[in-house]
Amino acid sequence: MARAATTSDAFNAIAEPQRREILLLLRSGERPVTDLARDLGMTQPQASKHLRVLREVGLVRVREAGKQRLYGLDARGLRPVHEWVGGFERFWSESFDRLDEYVRELEQARQEEPTDGDDQ
């Protein structure tokens, strides 16, 4: 089966590690592409290509501020990812509950073990 284009949805867009890094940087607020490129150690054209993909899937918005274009996070675009990941919450909660129960059982068994001084 052919893979969907990176511009088709948020899942494909965030599959690229550098795009995820851009989203992390934008959590703290709007930034111009030059700042993002510098912080990521890439050229401005490379950063612009990633921003274009993120913008096309609705994860990033852009606004004009004088001669600058400021890019900001639009977390609403992450809703499908959040909903999909949220489907695993029950699995993880149940797994952690079982682990917690197992640790309690181990602690109880350890407390019930005789110590070396109890044998005499």
Side-chain angles (χ1 to χ4, degrees):
M1 176 183 281
R3 186 167 173 229
T6 58
T7 57
S8 66
D9 64 29
F11 291 95
N12 285 316
I14 65 172
E16 164 60 49
Q18 290 177 315
R19 292 191 197 118
R20 291 193 305 270
E21 288 295 318
I22 289 172
L23 295 176
L24 289 174
L25 289 171
L26 293 177
R27 284 191 315 187
S28 62
E30 294 179 325
R31 310 265 301 269
V33 66
T34 52
D35 287 2
L36 294 168
R38 181 194 65 235
D39 289 351
L40 295 168
M42 65 176 65
T43 66
Q44 186 270 331
Q46 289 171 319
S48 291
K49 286 181 183 181
H50 288 304
L51 285 165
R52 179 181 48 81
V53 170
L54 293 169
R55 201 175 65 242
E56 288 176 359
V57 298
L59 297 175
V60 168
R61 66 183 181 288
V62 63
R63 76 175 176 88
E64 303 288 329
K67 293 183 179 185
Q68 273 191 329
R69 295 175 61 135
L70 297 176
Y71 293 86
L73 178 64
D74 189 348
R76 293 176 299 179
L78 288 170
R79 181 169 293 287
V81 175
H82 174 73
E83 289 172 354
W84 184 79
V85 170
F88 293 93
E89 184 176 356
R90 180 176 171 197
F91 167 79
W92 285 111
S93 293
E94 290 173 357
S95 295
F96 286 129
D97 289 346
R98 285 192 306 272
L99 179 60
D100 188 43
E101 183 179 329
Y102 177 69
V103 169
R104 281 195 306 265
E105 289 172 5
L106 287 177
E107 288 173 349
Q108 183 177 356
R110 196 171 123 213
Q111 290 174 357
E112 293 173 359
E113 287 179 4
T115 60
D116 290 337
D118 291 344
D119 293 339
Q120 298 175 3

